[in-house]
Amino acid sequence: MVTASRVQLTVLRGRDDEWQAVRSLLDGVTGGGGALLLHGEPGSGRSALLGHAHRYAEGCTVLAASGLAEEAALPYAGLQRLLDPVLHRAIALPRQQRDLLRRALDGETCPVDRQLTLSMAVLGLLAAARDRPLLATMDDVDRGDPQTAQVLAFVARRLRHLPVAVLLTADVTVTVDGIAAHRLRPLNARDSVAVLTDRLPEQPATSVVTALAAIGGGNPQALVDLAEVLSPAQWRGEEALPTAPPADGALGRAYRARLDRLPPDTRRVLLLAALDEAGEPGTLIRAAGAAGTEVEALAPAEVAGLVRVEPRGVTFPQPLVRTMIAASAPLAERRAAHRLLAGVLVADGQRLRRAMHLAAATAGADPALATELEEAAAGGVGDWATASAALRWAAELSGHPTQTAARLLTAARYAWAGGQPDVARLLLDRLRAVSRDPAVRGRADLLRGELELRCGGASGASVTLLTAATAVAGTDRALALSGLVRAGEAVCFAGDQYRYAEVGRRALALRRPTDPPAVELMGCLVAGVAATLRGDHERAGPALRRAVVLGGRLTGPALTPTALNCAAAAGLVVAVDGAAHRLAERAVGLARERGEVSVLSRALELRAVAEYWLGRHEAAAETSRDGLRVARASGQINCASVHLGMLAVLAAIRADRDTSLRHLREIGESPTPGSRPHALAGWALAVLDLIDGRHAEAADRLASLARLGTGRGQVLVQVMATPYLVEAAAHLAHRPAATAALAVFDRWASSTASPLRRALSARCHALLAPRGGAEAERDFQAALRLHPTEAGTFERARTELLFGQELRRSRRPRDARTHLHQAREMFSLLGVACWAEQATTELRAAGESVGPPDLPAARLLTGQQLRIAELVAEGATNREIAARMFLSTRTVDHHLRNVFHRLGIRSRTELARAFATERHVGLTSDR
């Protein structure tokens, strides 16, 4: 028996809901007890929660025991260990109950017809400890004798009026009727990382923690076991990480104990199923037959919750179960199972899987098998991770250092293509120790530089890439040019555009008149961007437009997501937004089709920028959200920051302050000043300043995005933000920064064929012209003529609003109202409530009394929004609407908020009234 007192609790990650349930149980025990079952996979934290409960149970008598598999055949063994500290109080029980309890706990059997009496005796004994509340816990109740579990379940259902709490833990498959239960789910990525870092004296490499969190599968004990076995070099990311939690760790021992309770045939087939990751039913059936058994032998494992056997194959409810089954098996058994699986994989299309199983069953070098693996994995399209693993095996089995190096390099490329940058880095580190060949090292450094650009220190990536491009230029000009394209991206990302001139000079030296289209495209892109950054638009335009044309003509092996990204980037710089969007869209589709995660985030970034220029802000935001998910999943922290910055800008432009600031908080302080994410964040904050009337602050932020004439800072981002800089500066007496930025914007806009860019240029000149003069009106009218009707509706609405403001402040309210009405209507159609309200305010200031927009709902709402609004008007709840339209309630809620914004109403009642009025007007007009 333990007398518990409240002590300082250690941190329990990711178990807030479960711990709250335990606390509620313990806090209320004096007013009436209860019971709780915590069930989950081995290592999920059940015992840790019990330990917290013991320490928290202030003023309680604590009885604690565990179910032991060794005593499972001894009736009431667990009950005896639990009750032993208070058995002396059995004297207070009725004689019949007392005698039956003592006999049962002494090892005698309890007849079936006396089990109720025995259970009442246990309940009475716990209730007899009335000097203080009592907590009784049984860990792993399902592992011990079933008689104890049966009695404790009986007691747990009858504690309502007693100061007794019962806390049980069991496997994920166990439930107890009449007792509240909490299923312990896997930890999320954030909590998994916290579990790891809690156990380290110093901060490990971020890539290592991320990789370990994935290996641990959200299982706390797996994470703890991994943390305990890693070497300092592994923590620093200098050595390869294990692929599974250690077999001799606490979790490994728990799984071995669980597997040992299964029949031999079940364990044999279970291992085959764990090693056959493809999960095709025919393969497992043939392998089980070759092992002298059959798939039906898995029935006990299915009962134990380890697998699910379905017509389409065997699945593992938790990926970690598969990993631990394989890790827990002896090496000889694993190799034998791999050989069995290889023996049944003989059909076409199974070559790579067969070779992988043979490799896993092989000890020592095997050059022939290494060649087989390399040939089977060639290309890697569709499953880059498996192809990378195959090349790693091939490198291990190679008989010559040159082949080992080449295969490691290919494995690293495949790992990166599949979105595994940490694996790629470790393979490149191994390659460095294997080969000193300058050509091989140059190719490796090109990949290393790309990893730095997307996932690490982008400021140093350009140096790595430039050096590597020089190293390979003599043997592979196309590869060298691709390295220079990446180097150019790196200097632009870091805000060091002045260094792009060097990239351009090196690319020019590599170009040839006979270059194939894909190579010519890269040369044109670098030449065009270099000319643009030095203000030479006469040279930039033809080169960039040529890159766009070449991108549209690519076919066959030359058609890659990377090449399409280059063409899309060229299109954005030369302001052919539609073509840039089509190219980026093709890049996204091709990257998804081929599974090239490494280039997908960049393709989505380019598509989002194109959608911004096309005025499709909602589409751009959705694209950026997609890009953010991809970037985070593939460890591309720099790309993730760019997408967050773009989301912050888009939200700010729509005056959604909370969303914009939330994205900026997600970026945090990691971006280097002058980098693209840092500039996007500044742009977003400046727009919010502008909306709030802090014009000087907005102008200062936007002017600081780049230092014109020096090539430092984000010149291209500042060009995009120039209309906002000019708008802010129009309210200030001194405008040198805005005037200089507008001059840069003008030179670019005039070199393009983009009506939108020219319209924005005219609007900017109107804002800086003397107020009330003919020059301002002329420029505003020019801007409205230039604005395209099929795109850029938001920018046209902004021009109408600004023109209306200018006319009103020039004491021409009647002329102003025409433009303000146009602005209000367009903003309402776009669902941009803040700007619509600003237009409404201006209209009132111009002497017009206005209410909600006088537009029918069918014009203001999308088809889906209109249908949701109609159902709300009919009285349907969000849940009912979700069921009828096959949507989630969250999606319905999101659309409904937009409906309220667009219709200028605030409640469901107003919405019903508006639709009733609209129907009445329609019926009247019909008559």
Side-chain angles (χ1 to χ4, degrees):
M1 181 171 65
V2 178
T3 300
S5 62
R6 191 171 309 213
V7 297
Q8 181 65 38
L9 300 179
T10 56
V11 178
L12 195 63
R13 301 289 186 181
R15 296 292 179 234
D16 293 346
D17 292 344
E18 295 82 356
W19 177 237
Q20 183 57 47
V22 173
R23 286 185 57 179
S24 298
L25 175 68
L26 297 176
D27 290 343
V29 70
T30 55
L36 185 64
L37 170 67
L38 302 170
H39 59 149
E41 300 287 342
S44 57
R46 302 172 307 193
S47 300
L49 280 164
L50 285 193
H52 271 54
H54 294 161
R55 293 189 292 273
Y56 183 83
E58 182 181 11
C60 289
T61 297
V62 178
L63 302 178
S66 299
L68 301 177
E70 294 84 350
E71 297 182 0
L74 304 176
Y76 306 110
L79 196 62
Q80 186 276 327
R81 282 185 285 104
L82 179 70
L83 299 178
D84 185 65
V86 293
L87 274 179
H88 62 281
R89 300 190 179 187
I91 192 69
L93 297 176
R95 181 178 184 134
Q96 186 181 29
Q97 290 184 7
R98 182 175 68 242
D99 292 346
L100 183 60
L101 177 62
R102 289 192 179 279
R103 285 197 300 272
L105 298 186
D106 285 343
E108 298 182 24
T109 59
C110 176
V112 174
D113 59 351
R114 305 298 304 279
Q115 288 179 356
L116 177 60
T117 304
L118 176 63
S119 298
M120 290 301 296
V122 173
L123 181 63
L125 180 61
L126 296 178
R130 285 186 174 275
D131 54 332
R132 57 196 300 163
L134 185 143
L135 169 65
T137 68
M138 178 68 72
D139 200 8
D140 295 327
V141 66
D142 55 320
R143 293 190 63 198
D145 62 277
Q147 294 83 2
T148 291
Q150 185 178 7
V151 170
L152 288 178
F154 176 93
V155 170
R157 290 188 285 263
R158 290 165 174 80
L159 299 174
R160 183 178 302 173
H161 303 296
L162 298 174
V164 177
V166 171
L167 195 54
L168 309 174
T169 75
D171 186 70
V172 67
T173 59
V174 175
T175 57
V176 180
D177 291 341
I179 298 179
H182 268 267
R183 165 79 181 276
L184 275 64
R185 304 287 178 179
L187 302 181
N188 60 30
R190 183 187 61 191
D191 289 324
S192 294
V193 169
V195 168
L196 290 164
T197 53
D198 284 346
R199 283 156 177 78
L200 297 174
E202 58 187 42
Q203 183 67 31
T206 301
S207 60
V208 170
V209 176
T210 303
L212 289 175
I215 294 168
N219 186 288
Q221 188 61 58
L223 297 167
V224 172
D225 291 350
L226 284 164
E228 290 177 349
V229 299
L230 259 64
S231 67
Q234 287 175 314
W235 278 120
R236 293 191 297 268
E238 297 169 357
E239 292 182 2
L241 298 175
T243 58
D248 57 352
L251 185 63
R253 293 193 299 272
Y255 268 100
R256 275 202 305 278
R258 200 174 177 190
L259 294 170
D260 287 345
R261 296 197 291 270
L262 299 174
D265 278 357
T266 301
R267 294 199 301 270
R268 194 172 297 118
V269 181
L270 195 58
L271 179 59
L272 290 169
L275 296 177
D276 180 33
E277 297 191 7
E280 294 177 0
T283 300
L284 186 59
I285 290 170
R286 294 193 300 274
T293 182
E294 53 190 11
V295 172
E296 284 72 14
L298 285 174
E302 189 171 21
V303 172
L306 293 168
V307 293
R308 283 196 292 264
V309 182
E310 301 168 332
R312 66 175 184 272
V314 175
T315 58
F316 291 80
Q318 297 294 333
L320 189 61
V321 175
R322 179 195 292 272
T323 302
M324 294 312 299
I325 289 170
S328 300
L331 177 61
E333 290 184 14
R334 282 204 307 274
R335 286 181 171 171
H338 279 298
R339 281 193 291 270
L340 274 175
L341 288 164
V344 300
L345 290 170
V346 294
D348 291 341
Q350 297 178 330
R351 183 184 181 189
L352 179 57
R353 289 170 56 203
R354 179 179 182 276
M356 292 280 285
H357 284 299
L358 287 175
T362 301
D366 189 335
L369 181 55
T371 301
E372 175 73 8
L373 281 163
E374 184 176 36
E375 292 175 354
V381 176
D383 191 352
W384 297 97
T386 299
S388 176
L391 266 296
R392 294 199 297 273
W393 278 116
E396 294 288 341
L397 298 171
S398 298
H400 194 281
T402 301
Q403 292 177 324
T404 300
R407 287 161 179 166
L408 283 173
L409 179 56
T410 305
R413 285 198 300 105
Y414 287 177
W416 170 230
Q420 297 178 307
D422 300 322
V423 175
R425 284 195 192 95
L426 290 169
L427 289 167
L428 291 175
D429 289 343
R430 286 177 58 192
L431 175 61
R432 183 179 287 168
V434 169
S435 175
R436 296 187 176 276
D437 184 338
V440 172
R441 288 202 163 194
R443 290 169 178 267
D445 284 342
L446 283 176
L447 180 54
R448 195 184 303 277
E450 186 174 352
L451 290 167
E452 291 174 2
L453 169 60
R454 307 291 184 211
C455 313
S459 58
S462 59
V463 175
T464 302
L465 288 162
L466 285 169
T467 303
T470 300
V472 303
T475 56
D476 194 332
R477 282 191 310 106
L479 188 60
L481 266 174
S482 73
L484 292 174
V485 169
R486 296 284 186 275
E489 281 188 53
V491 298
C492 289
F493 180 93
D496 299 330
Q497 279 94 333
Y498 68 94
R499 298 177 58 197
Y500 206 102
E502 174 64 19
V503 177
R505 283 193 294 271
R506 295 195 187 193
L508 181 61
L510 291 176
R511 297 178 69 183
R512 303 288 185 273
T514 57
D515 281 338
V519 178
E520 184 186 356
L521 191 162
M522 291 188 289
C524 288
L525 171 64
V526 174
V529 173
T532 297
L533 291 174
R534 65 175 181 263
D536 187 356
H537 298 292
E538 289 185 0
R539 292 181 182 273
L544 293 169
R545 281 187 278 272
R546 175 62 178 166
V548 172
V549 171
L550 289 168
R553 294 177 179 174
L554 293 175
T555 58
L559 180 60
T560 65
T562 298
L564 291 169
N565 279 346
C566 289
L572 290 172
V573 177
V574 81
V576 285
D577 306 319
H581 185 266
R582 288 190 295 274
L583 289 162
E585 181 69 20
R586 286 184 71 194
V588 169
L590 190 59
R592 291 195 195 281
E593 178 186 328
R594 297 172 54 134
E596 290 192 53
V597 181
S598 60
V599 295
L600 178 56
S601 182
R602 172 65 173 165
L604 289 164
E605 176 191 331
L606 295 167
R607 190 175 79 179
V609 175
E611 286 164 343
Y612 166 82
W613 281 116
L614 290 167
R616 305 172 191 170
H617 292 174
E618 289 187 6
E622 183 55 42
T623 295
S624 291
R625 283 190 288 269
D626 191 6
L628 178 61
R629 286 190 292 268
V630 172
R632 283 175 167 168
S634 56
Q636 300 184 57
I637 56 175
N638 293 333
C639 293
S641 293
V642 171
H643 284 295
L644 285 169
M646 195 68 193
L647 284 167
V649 169
L650 290 165
I653 286 171
R654 297 176 67 84
D656 186 348
R657 171 180 298 278
D658 292 342
T659 299
S660 183
L661 293 177
R662 174 168 57 82
H663 290 312
L664 293 177
R665 285 193 295 271
E666 289 183 77
I667 294 176
E669 299 180 359
S670 56
T672 305
S675 67
R676 185 174 298 136
H678 189 268
L680 290 170
W683 181 8
L685 289 171
V687 173
L688 295 177
D689 285 335
L690 182 62
I691 291 170
D692 291 342
R694 295 192 295 271
H695 302 109
E697 292 88 341
D700 287 344
R701 286 189 195 277
L702 293 169
S704 68
L705 297 184
R707 284 174 279 174
L708 297 178
T710 68
R712 298 181 184 273
Q714 290 296 320
V715 176
L716 297 178
V717 175
Q718 190 181 63
V719 167
M720 291 179 70
T722 293
Y724 293 92
L725 171 57
V726 170
E727 186 175 340
H731 296 267
L732 307 176
H734 301 287
R735 310 164 178 174
T739 303
L742 180 55
V744 173
F745 187 90
D746 282 344
R747 287 195 296 273
W748 173 58
S750 63
S751 73
T752 73
S754 168
L756 174 61
R757 307 309 193 280
R758 293 168 183 252
L760 292 174
S761 174
R763 185 175 86 192
C764 289
H765 282 280
L767 289 169
L768 295 181
R771 176 155 292 167
E775 182 183 350
E777 183 173 359
R778 184 182 67 248
D779 287 335
F780 270 124
Q781 294 287 7
L784 290 176
R785 286 194 302 273
L786 286 165
H787 272 299
T789 55
E790 74 283 357
T793 304
F794 177 82
E795 292 297 347
R796 182 182 184 90
R798 295 273 294 126
T799 300
E800 296 276 14
L801 173 61
L802 292 167
F803 192 13
Q805 289 175 337
E806 164 68 15
L807 292 170
R808 183 188 68 76
R809 291 167 187 171
S810 301
R811 298 183 181 181
R812 296 170 59 186
R814 180 179 298 177
D815 294 334
R817 287 197 289 267
T818 301
H819 297 288
L820 294 173
H821 272 298
Q822 286 289 331
R824 185 167 178 261
E825 179 175 333
M826 283 189 280
F827 285 137
S828 297
L829 286 167
L830 292 168
V832 192
C834 174
W835 294 112
E837 289 168 9
Q838 192 170 128
T840 301
T841 301
E842 289 288 337
L843 274 168
R844 288 175 181 145
E848 185 161 328
S849 177
V850 288
D854 186 19
L855 289 169
R859 284 188 62 194
L860 286 166
L861 305 179
T862 66
Q864 194 168 54
Q865 289 170 346
L866 181 61
R867 180 57 180 151
I868 289 172
E870 289 171 344
L871 292 171
V872 169
E874 293 170 8
T877 66
N878 284 11
R879 189 178 297 276
E880 291 167 343
I881 295 169
R884 290 175 66 174
M885 296 185 67
F886 302 100
L887 302 171
S888 69
T889 53
R890 180 178 296 180
T891 300
V892 172
D893 184 61
H894 169 76
H895 284 308
L896 193 54
R897 286 198 301 271
N898 286 335
V899 168
F900 285 175
H901 278 308
R902 293 189 176 199
L903 297 185
I905 59 179
R906 300 182 179 179
S907 69
R908 301 170 83 94
T909 303
E910 286 185 42
L911 180 61
R913 190 182 301 122
F915 268 72
T917 302
E918 191 167 304
R919 281 195 293 269
H920 175 73
V921 172
L923 289 171
T924 303
S925 63
D926 288 344
R927 294 193 186 102

